[in-house]
Amino acid sequence: MVLNLLADQVVKGRIYPALARHQARPYTQGWREFGQHWPHTIPLRLQEYCDHHGVDIQLYSINDELPPCTYYPVGLGFFDFDINYFALMGPAVRKKLRTNQLRVLFYYHEGDNPTRIKDRLDELAQDHLLPPDCYVFVSANTAARDILGFVYFADFELWYWQRNQTIAPLLVHAQPREREFTVLNRLHKSWRATAMADMHRQCLLNNSYWSYCETGELGTDNPIEIDSIPDLRRDTLSFLAGAPYTSDQLDQAQRNDHSETESKYHANSYCNIVMETHWDADQSGGAFLTEKTFKPIKHGQLFFVAGPAGSLQALRDLGYKTFDTVLDTMYDRITDNTQRWIRLCDAVGQARHRLADRFETARADIEHNQQLFAQLKTQRLNSLIKDIHEQYN
């Protein structure tokens, strides 16, 4: 399937980030820094994926005769509600939007609430006298599936596939593993501190690789109702007072280098408790998966996902196994943030019993996940393009 894109400028084969004021050349450090500069539009990750996985992109300029289903791509580093994105587009682009010769393709790899984004974009489109169907928005939040003009795409599956491609998947070996769990936290968030403190005080992490590499305040934005669980506020404050806690000699930049893999975290523990980016995905009701989840998939572990409700279901929808016969995965169906955490914490405690046997029982599913992750993502991308084309049609 072909994706037709209109580019303001193409440099060394790469679409120059639309609307950007920052100047840089592809394959330089500056090219990776667009997101740090207003209006925070970035190189199109989708073009990179299509190149790697053999999906055809046809590029056009504003003066070309455009075929049907042509899009003006805007890669977003983050969505800023104070930016008038349509105002930053050239008059010629807006004219083609107004006459239905073109649609904007917003591509966003983050999990912000897509309903709020739609409300803002619809407001901006109306201000510019643009039709309500002048854009399609690709979001990494599963709630996008239920919004007209929005498409869900698990961006970080392809992102981690690409960033970690020089590292072979670790062998799912049959030797005893020294640790039960791997539970890693590079950045502080109040809900993560709450979760880690709760597991720590219950001694669930005594035989695990675990880290909490920053300290910070226990803010008011915690989706887990900390005061509904006896003594958890006190114990979380005590946990943060002792932070940071590390389990390796890496610095923060090395921990964030996804081209490398610290093999002990996967090869020497049975199960990964993935501390995802969001616990409730911006109150959207959707799920948001990042590279944190795809690491244990690629490198051969059981896993729990400490993240929004529906995270495991999103993985099943992609074809991955979630070990429902050996782990208690019912937590993933609980939408109440506090009750979901309590159920997940209980599931971790249950999993400690005969964890090595659980791993062996799930070996075929673990290997299935590895093999699925390793495959080219051509079909994923073709399905995405099909979904984009089918909006409003």
Side-chain angles (χ1 to χ4, degrees), residues 100 136 208 231 233 317:
N100 296 309
V136 176
S208 298
D231 299 326
R233 178 178 293 275
D317 293 343

Side-chain angles (χ1 to χ4, degrees), residues 79-90:
F79 188 89
D80 188 332
F81 285 80
D82 293 327
I83 292 176
N84 189 330
Y85 292 99
F86 295 114
L88 297 179
M89 298 172 192

Side-chain angles (χ1 to χ4, degrees), residues 161-352:
W161 188 100
Q162 208 151 297
R163 293 300 181 271
N164 198 244
Q165 64 181 316
T166 61
I167 305 295
L170 297 177
L171 177 68
V172 186
H173 63 81
Q175 300 302 312
R177 300 174 182 227
E178 295 178 356
R179 305 297 176 94
E180 294 173 333
F181 302 110
T182 294
V183 199
L184 303 179
N185 298 265
R186 185 173 62 88
L187 300 179
H188 165 68
K189 294 191 175 186
S190 293
W191 76 263
R192 285 179 178 163
T194 302
M196 291 299 292
D198 202 8
M199 288 189 288
H200 185 261
R201 70 180 186 162
Q202 295 186 51
C203 301
L204 297 179
L205 306 179
N206 284 1
N207 186 32
S208 298
Y209 294 117
W210 67 272
S211 67
Y212 203 85
C213 298
E214 288 185 339
T215 190
E217 299 296 322
L218 184 56
T220 59
D221 60 344
N222 191 347
I224 299 173
E225 295 178 2
I226 191 170
D227 293 318
S228 70
I229 302 174
D231 299 326
L232 186 51
R233 178 178 293 275
R234 178 201 67 192
D235 293 339
T236 302
L237 290 170
S238 177
F239 178 85
L240 284 171
Y245 309 93
T246 59
S247 54
D248 53 46
Q249 301 302 312
L250 304 177
D251 59 33
Q252 287 288 66
Q254 290 171 315
R255 294 185 184 110
N256 198 38
D257 182 356
H258 301 292
S259 66
E260 299 293 338
T261 297
E262 185 71 17
S263 62
K264 70 178 184 180
Y265 291 139
H266 306 289
N268 201 34
S269 81
Y270 292 101
C271 184
N272 202 304
I273 305 172
V274 179
M275 304 300 288
E276 259 298 354
T277 296
H278 294 298
W279 183 247
D280 67 350
D282 199 20
Q283 300 83 52
S284 64
F288 171 54
L289 302 171
T290 72
E291 80 288 342
K292 301 172 189 67
T293 293
F294 293 104
K295 286 180 180 181
I297 286 175
K298 175 176 179 176
H299 294 299
Q301 288 176 290
L302 296 169
F303 55 81
F304 293 100
V305 178
S311 295
L312 295 185
Q313 186 57 54
L315 288 171
R316 294 184 198 108
D317 293 343
L318 292 170
Y320 292 106
K321 306 295 186 181
T322 55
F323 318 117
D324 307 324
T325 61
V326 298
L327 301 176
D328 177 2
T329 59
M330 290 300 294
Y331 66 90
D332 189 60
R333 302 182 185 182
I334 300 173
T335 56
D336 180 279
N337 289 320
T338 304
Q339 294 303 313
R340 183 169 69 261
W341 168 249
I342 292 171
R343 182 63 179 259
L344 173 54
C345 201
D346 288 346
V348 170
Q350 294 169 23
R352 297 183 71 193

Side-chain angles (χ1 to χ4, degrees), residues 76-81 85 108-118 137-145 147 150-153 156 189 277-278 280-290 308:
L76 297 169
F78 70 90
F79 188 89
D80 188 332
F81 285 80
Y85 292 99
Y108 194 30
H109 60 276
E110 295 289 355
D112 308 20
N113 190 324
T115 298
R116 295 172 184 165
I117 291 173
K118 177 177 173 56
F137 196 103
V138 177
S139 167
N141 186 319
T142 60
R145 292 171 172 154
I147 302 174
F150 277 61
V151 175
Y152 169 66
F153 187 63
F156 274 99
K189 294 191 175 186
T277 296
H278 294 298
D280 67 350
D282 199 20
Q283 300 83 52
S284 64
F288 171 54
L289 302 171
T290 72

